[in-house]
Amino acid sequence: MRIDVDRSATQARVPQPDGEAWTALIDEYELALRSVERDYPMLNPDRVEFREDVMLHVYEMMKLLVKQGNPPALAVQLAAVQRFGN
């Protein structure tokens, strides 16, 4: 399935779910998420330090950052830094 947005209105095109751009976006996000979970074990559900309430807070911040136009990989990193500092 291919979704094209009117370029004159937004100058953007939504990547195809089966296209290379989509795969790259997912790969980039996965790497960023692994990095965040390594740096902040309370966000990693496989760790004993995991805290669901903290993870949900970071997730909500990430969603807001994506809505503001940040790519998901950057948004997850920014949300974690905003929550924990560094």
Side-chain angles (χ1 to χ4, degrees), residues 19 22 32 42 48 51 53-55 72:
W22 185 260
M42 67 285 300
V48 69
R51 295 223 4 234
D53 60 324
V54 175
M55 183 272 301

Side-chain angles (χ1 to χ4, degrees), residues 57-77:
H57 182 256
V58 170
Y59 176 67
E60 291 301 321
M61 287 194 304
M62 183 195 83
K63 288 191 325 185
L64 179 62
L65 289 164
V66 169
K67 283 183 183 180
Q68 292 173 350
N70 293 287
L74 178 60
V76 71
Q77 293 168 328

Side-chain angles (χ1 to χ4, degrees), residues 20-49:
E20 288 180 30
W22 185 260
T23 301
L25 188 67
I26 292 170
D27 290 345
E28 206 174 297
Y29 174 76
E30 289 288 329
L31 288 172
L33 181 60
R34 277 190 241 140
S35 174
V36 165
E37 287 179 342
R38 182 190 63 240
D39 294 343
Y40 306 102
M42 67 285 300
L43 299 177
N44 185 339
D46 296 329
R47 298 287 300 265
V48 69
E49 299 93 340

Side-chain angles (χ1 to χ4, degrees), residues 5-11:
V5 176
D6 180 5
R7 287 186 160 296
S8 63
T10 64
Q11 299 297 316

